[in-house]
Amino acid sequence: MTSSTHYLTKLKRRVLMNFALVLILALSLSWLTYQLLYINKVDELKNIQDQKLFIATNLFSREIGNLGDLLTLLANGQALSHKSDETKGTQNLSLKVQQQIQEHFIEFGQASSKIAQIRWLDQNGQEVVRVDFTGGKVKVSEANSLQNKQARYYFIQGMKVAAPNKYFSPIDLNVEHGEVVQPFEPTIRGTIQTSSGTHLFQGLILVNYRLDNLLTTIRDHSISDAQISIVNRDGYWLLHPQPEKEWGFMLDKPQLSLKTELPKLWLHQTKYPEGGYEITNNSLSSFMPLTTFTGADSGANSNQLFVYATSNQVYLALASRSALYFALAILLTLTLGGSIIIWRGYRYHSKLIELSLKLQHEHQKLEQANDALVENIARQQLLQDELVEANKLSSLGLMVAGVAHELNTPIGGAIICVSNADDANNKLKLAMVKGISKSQFSAGVDIINRSLHLAIINLDKAVNHIKHFKRLAI
């Protein structure tokens, strides 16, 4: 009973250890499955967002390229060449030359609805020619309305970049007379220098290029899993799924910035300026840089934007939930299957232990019965030996009795004959004393001889019986 309890205790301990191993294995596989499924969903989302980022950056780069080509064509126009007028300098331009320049600018401005303004500034920042394009209308500024832009950042930076390189300003909203134009006109300014050696005067051709159509096109490519936004180098949104969060730096709303609303994402971006991915607030954001101007080794400030594609919170929540459900299903399946196998193994081993103990008990009983049988056989052998001895003694007694009976007759006869001879001898002796006749003597001797002869015959028979008995004994 104690042995059975010991074996069952060890078996239960082993079952618990196996169950713990199965549970650990199931948990590990479930967690691994969850991670793989979730990562796979995240990778799918990354691919979608990468495609949207590629589209946005491609559209943006193409637009910047178009602006660069436009600046080159403007600068190479015959109307701006010094050959169009024998005089040089902004003060000595003839009315005809000014009109040619204006017509040149108007021709380009009417060819593209994206051009908001074309100006030619001299080296001191003074506007020499200015043509505005608004709603398909052309406005040529009079001389008294021309302004000096020497202090403006785009003039300062543009004058640092020598032709044929171009300078592209940061993107902002168009401002007139100190006020942001309504509705908003997202604008980038491109400049290219003119030199007195090739043009009428040294200065800067400046084009205000509207990006509202570009930003609208990029916004139209947004989907719920990849909502495109564009952030400037200071973290302000130029494009956002919620338009009210855009242009915070132009509207004196510093709180409307990525840096303020999502500091973790902004910190990740500054840590990985070459682009990357980050999950914040259960949303995946993919981003990549978009450089509009690299400085052209001129000392001018580089302008860089970041394009973001952000998922809604539902996608990752659903991905996590579906991966979790599948992982839980695997966990339950493995745990249940393992438990059934362990339970069947436990029952099998319990039955095996029970049968083993029963067999051991039967073996002990069999050994006891065998020991008793050996003892009985030994006792029976002893009794048989004793019976054989008794039979031998009984046979010997019968044989001795037979021999005695066989010897008794001849010996008895021999004794009688010897007695008769002795009696005849005594009578003969007495007769000799008294006087005996010859006939009496002869009769007496004859009796003695016959008696001795019969005694010898009987003694011979006794001797033969004794020899036969000796042969039987041997």
Side-chain angles (χ1 to χ4, degrees):
M1 189 68 178
T2 304
S3 178
S4 175
T5 304
H6 175 68
Y7 284 131
L8 287 176
T9 301
K10 288 182 64 178
L11 181 60
K12 289 178 180 178
R13 189 180 298 117
R14 188 184 305 167
V15 166
L16 290 176
M17 290 179 62
N18 290 338
F19 181 76
L21 289 175
V22 168
L23 188 60
I24 292 172
L25 179 62
L27 286 171
S28 300
L29 290 176
S30 300
W31 175 249
L32 181 61
T33 301
Y34 171 81
Q35 289 293 321
L36 290 176
L37 290 176
Y38 183 73
I39 291 173
N40 185 55
K41 287 291 185 181
V42 172
D43 288 341
E44 290 179 2
L45 183 57
K46 286 180 179 179
N47 290 332
I48 294 173
Q49 293 184 351
D50 285 343
Q51 292 175 6
K52 295 299 181 180
L53 291 177
F54 175 79
I55 292 173
T57 54
N58 187 51
L59 289 172
F60 214 102
S61 298
R62 186 171 60 187
E63 201 74 3
I64 297 298
N66 291 339
L67 177 57
D69 294 340
L70 175 63
L71 288 168
T72 301
L73 291 174
L74 275 171
N76 291 336
Q78 184 65 31
L80 278 63
S81 172
H82 67 82
K83 296 180 182 180
S84 64
D85 196 347
E86 296 180 356
T87 60
K88 293 186 179 181
T90 59
Q91 304 296 327
N92 300 319
L93 290 179
S94 65
L95 180 60
K96 179 182 176 181
V97 172
Q98 292 183 21
Q99 288 178 346
Q100 289 176 346
I101 295 172
Q102 293 169 358
E103 289 173 358
H104 179 62
F105 286 173
I106 291 172
E107 181 183 358
F108 273 88
Q110 290 180 332
S112 174
S113 61
K114 300 175 184 178
I115 297 176
Q117 187 181 80
I118 302 177
R119 289 174 285 178
W120 195 1
L121 285 68
D122 66 14
Q123 61 183 347
N124 297 316
Q126 179 62 42
E127 294 178 341
V128 177
V129 178
R130 171 175 172 171
V131 181
D132 293 282
F133 305 90
T134 306
K137 297 180 180 180
V138 179
K139 179 183 177 183
V140 179
S141 298
E142 300 293 335
N144 57 3
S145 63
L146 298 176
Q147 304 174 26
N148 188 285
K149 302 294 184 180
Q150 186 177 14
R152 298 301 297 271
Y153 74 91
Y154 51 79
F155 176 78
I156 296 172
Q157 298 295 325
M159 291 300 293
K160 294 180 180 180
V161 181
N165 295 318
K166 297 95 177 174
Y167 168 76
F168 300 103
S169 71
I171 300 172
D172 55 18
L173 297 177
N174 192 25
V175 177
E176 291 293 343
H177 307 294
E179 296 291 334
V180 175
V181 175
Q182 296 287 345
F184 294 157
E185 295 180 0
T187 302
I188 186 172
R189 296 167 181 84
T191 69
I192 186 170
Q193 279 199 48
T194 59
S195 67
S196 58
T198 57
H199 295 79
L200 293 172
F201 58 86
Q202 183 176 0
L204 198 69
I205 296 177
L206 189 148
V207 176
N208 285 17
Y209 198 77
R210 295 181 59 175
L211 298 178
D212 46 354
N213 290 336
L214 172 65
L215 296 179
T216 300
T217 301
I218 293 175
R219 189 193 303 275
D220 291 341
H221 280 89
S222 293
I223 57 176
S224 61
D225 296 334
Q227 302 175 37
I228 303 175
S229 59
I230 300 176
V231 178
N232 67 10
R233 63 189 305 167
D234 297 319
Y236 289 98
W237 284 294
L238 310 184
L239 180 68
H240 192 275
Q242 302 175 27
E244 63 272 14
K245 293 187 176 182
E246 298 171 352
W247 311 108
F249 67 102
M250 296 293 297
L251 304 176
D252 294 327
K253 295 180 179 180
Q255 72 277 9
L256 300 180
S257 69
L258 178 69
K259 185 190 303 184
T260 303
E261 292 196 10
L262 298 171
K264 181 181 177 182
L265 181 58
W266 175 256
L267 182 63
H268 186 77
Q269 173 200 294
T270 56
K271 187 176 181 181
Y272 300 98
E274 69 281 1
Y277 308 91
E278 179 68 9
I279 295 177
T280 54
N281 299 335
N282 207 28
S283 295
L284 175 67
S285 295
S286 305
F287 64 93
M288 65 172 55
L290 177 62
T291 302
T292 59
F293 176 69
T294 59
D297 300 325
S298 62
N301 296 333
S302 298
N303 300 320
Q304 189 176 50
L305 305 174
F306 282 92
V307 184
Y308 280 82
T310 304
S311 69
N312 55 29
Q313 295 180 344
V314 176
Y315 184 93
L316 290 183
L318 290 177
S320 177
R321 191 178 305 162
S322 61
L324 181 61
Y325 287 159
F326 195 83
L328 286 176
I330 290 179
L331 175 63
L332 291 176
T333 302
L334 291 177
T335 304
L336 183 60
S339 299
I340 292 174
I341 294 173
I342 291 173
W343 173 248
R344 292 184 64 181
Y346 171 73
R347 291 187 60 187
Y348 171 76
H349 283 92
S350 298
K351 191 66 176 179
L352 192 62
I353 290 174
E354 181 182 352
L355 292 175
S356 177
L357 292 174
K358 186 176 181 180
L359 182 62
Q360 185 177 358
H361 180 67
E362 293 293 334
H363 183 69
Q364 290 176 352
K365 289 178 66 177
L366 184 61
E367 285 185 346
Q368 293 175 358
N370 187 56
D371 292 341
L373 182 61
V374 170
E375 186 178 353
N376 289 334
I377 291 173
R379 188 180 298 110
Q380 186 177 7
Q381 187 66 38
L382 181 60
L383 291 175
Q384 188 175 358
D385 292 343
E386 290 178 354
L387 182 59
V388 169
E389 288 295 327
N391 288 336
K392 286 182 179 180
L393 291 176
S394 175
S395 298
L396 183 60
L398 291 175
M399 186 176 64
V400 170
V403 171
H405 177 70
E406 292 293 330
L407 292 176
N408 186 52
T409 300
I411 291 175
I415 291 174
I416 293 174
C417 289
V418 172
S419 296
N420 289 335
D422 184 64
D423 185 56
N425 185 52
N426 287 333
K427 286 181 178 181
L428 184 59
K429 285 180 181 181
L430 184 60
M432 288 178 66
V433 174
K434 291 179 177 184
I436 185 170
S437 65
K438 184 179 178 180
S439 57
Q440 289 179 334
F441 180 74
S442 297
V445 172
D446 186 47
I447 293 171
I448 290 171
N449 287 333
R450 286 198 303 270
S451 298
L452 289 174
H453 179 69
L454 289 173
I456 290 170
I457 290 172
N458 284 316
L459 289 175
D460 285 338
K461 290 182 178 180
V463 169
N464 289 331
H465 284 308
I466 290 171
K467 288 180 179 180
H468 180 66
F469 176 71
K470 286 176 67 178
R471 283 198 300 270
L472 290 176
I474 294 172

